[in-house]
Amino acid sequence: MSRRERAVALTCSVGGAVIVALDGTVLTVAQPRLQRELGASYAQVQWTSTGYLVAVASLLVFAGRLGDLPHGLRRGGRPVGHRRLFAVGMLGFGAASAGIGLAPGIGWVIALRVVQGVFGALAQPATLGMLRAAFPPDRLGPPLAVRTSAIALAAAAGPVAGGALVAGPGWRAVFFLNVAPALLFGLLALLLPGPGRTGPDRPPAGRLDLPGALLLALALGCAVHTLVALPEPGGGGPAAAVGALVAVAAMTGFVRHERRTGDPLLPPDVIGSAAVGSALAVLVAASAALSGTLFVVTYVLQDTLGLDPFQSALRSLPLALLMVLAAPACPVLLRRCGARRTSVAAMAALALGVLVLARASGALGLGVGFALLGAGFGTVMVAATHVVVREAAVTSAGVAGGLQQTAMNVGPVLGVAAATALRTAGGSAGLPLAVLAGVAGAGAVAGRALPGREGAGALPGRPPTAAAGAGGRAARADPARTPPAQDG
């Protein structure tokens, strides 16, 4: 693959990830004014976020698998590929954003947020699938680090940009902000040569498992809806209970179906990998601990310490700064220490940061706590994502990307739900932060199953000596047609 094609892959991957990250952060700032101007209830405003989350979580794995298939929904059809799927997702995301900016009422906003979630789900796995197709396994670290740093910058800039837009032109400008860049990156992926193009040299990946996709979408959608509803008074009521039962039943049916079908939605090389499972567990734990901690500490800063939103944002700046700095340093750590030691140390730093914030009240203590959070999360996000994407073959890169994105969407919902329930039960920040530190510690334990430096050069399922022979030469000659090496 040429440098130009790799540049297109990296540009689209980073741009798409930044647009989605920015959209989520600026919406939070816009919700209060949106509620007042549209005369919406609090529950309706919450659904502008819940509807999006349910749509995204339900479809991420399906979208990733669709991008992996060489002929899309039917044999002999036109290839889909990650690049084309990313283009459709970005163009649809931009169009839905424009529609929300023009929406006459809250019902239209909710419906279009769901549509925006659908297109976001199409684009997100493709951002990782394109990188896996464009870069050899041993060169994935730096592109993933660039992507993570860009997401951190977007997360830091989102509240500032959102506040300026809401205070000036109004909440509708928040959504118009997405339109031009989404269309730009969508057209770039569609019109220029780049990764994600399928061809006759690509091995067939089977048919799309629609029953499996439907069952998994139902399970994940109901699970996310239940987690979002739990913090509400009464634990979400009967709707949450029904959602939980449907999620369990659908997941049970999905597991049984996957065991029987000849073309499973989750290929064995992905779901059967202990390293991938461990990396996904680490990502869920890290994102849950981070999001839950930020939720609790925000109330501490504003209600307990009496800081206004701007002062609170200033106190948390070390978080974004250390995330930006930690991401490019992670590939060096991966080469020297391996994914196992890097991830375990990063999760330990994350847990320590939560404990420091639980006792901090001054600027120095808060700065140290937020810095540890940023350093730990920025490092583990690159390291664990690197394992997920690299361990999967190119023909399963979309599914791997979908699973990674699912973990990064489910984790925050789980963390906030747990933090809200614990804070309500305990009445203080100490209990939820102690539990969230324990969640980060559990992620460190899960990280011990990740590959270490001794796994460098070994192909999944083969001893290192096999990779050094003919298979190793084939991998170096054409890494896109062989399973990736283990992390080193």
Side-chain angles (χ1 to χ4, degrees), residues 434-450:
V435 172
L436 291 167
V439 171
V445 174
R448 292 182 60 82
L450 294 174

Side-chain angles (χ1 to χ4, degrees), residues 53-160:
L53 282 173
V54 170
V56 168
S58 301
L59 297 174
L60 283 168
V61 176
F62 166 79
R65 183 60 171 161
L66 183 60
D68 287 333
L69 291 178
H71 300 300
L73 291 172
R74 56 190 177 88
R75 291 191 182 276
R78 189 179 183 185
V80 180
H82 299 300
R83 182 169 57 87
R84 188 171 287 111
L85 204 61
F86 171 83
V88 172
M90 279 289 98
L91 294 174
F93 194 92
S97 297
I100 296 172
L102 299 171
I106 188 63
W108 280 99
V109 173
I110 295 172
L112 287 170
R113 278 289 286 170
V114 173
V115 173
Q116 194 181 42
V118 171
F119 284 108
L122 293 179
Q124 288 185 56
T127 62
L128 292 173
M130 289 188 297
L131 289 183
R132 177 63 182 89
F135 292 88
D138 58 349
R139 293 176 60 188
L140 275 172
L144 290 175
V146 171
R147 183 177 180 273
T148 301
S149 295
I151 292 173
L153 284 173
V160 177

Side-chain angles (χ1 to χ4, degrees), residues 1 6 129-138 195-197 201-204 390 392-397 459 471-485:
M1 185 169 291
R6 286 176 178 160
M130 289 188 297
L131 289 183
R132 177 63 182 89
F135 292 88
D138 58 349
R197 180 181 299 165
D201 60 335
R202 182 169 178 174
R390 183 174 179 175
V394 174
T395 52
S396 303
L459 297 176
R473 288 190 296 271
R476 288 190 294 271
D478 186 6
R481 297 190 61 184
T482 58

Side-chain angles (χ1 to χ4, degrees), residues 404-431:
Q404 189 270 356
Q405 293 290 325
T406 301
M408 296 301 295
N409 278 273
V410 171
V413 176
L414 180 62
V416 172
T420 304
L422 291 168
R423 191 171 184 272
T424 302
S428 68
L431 177 61

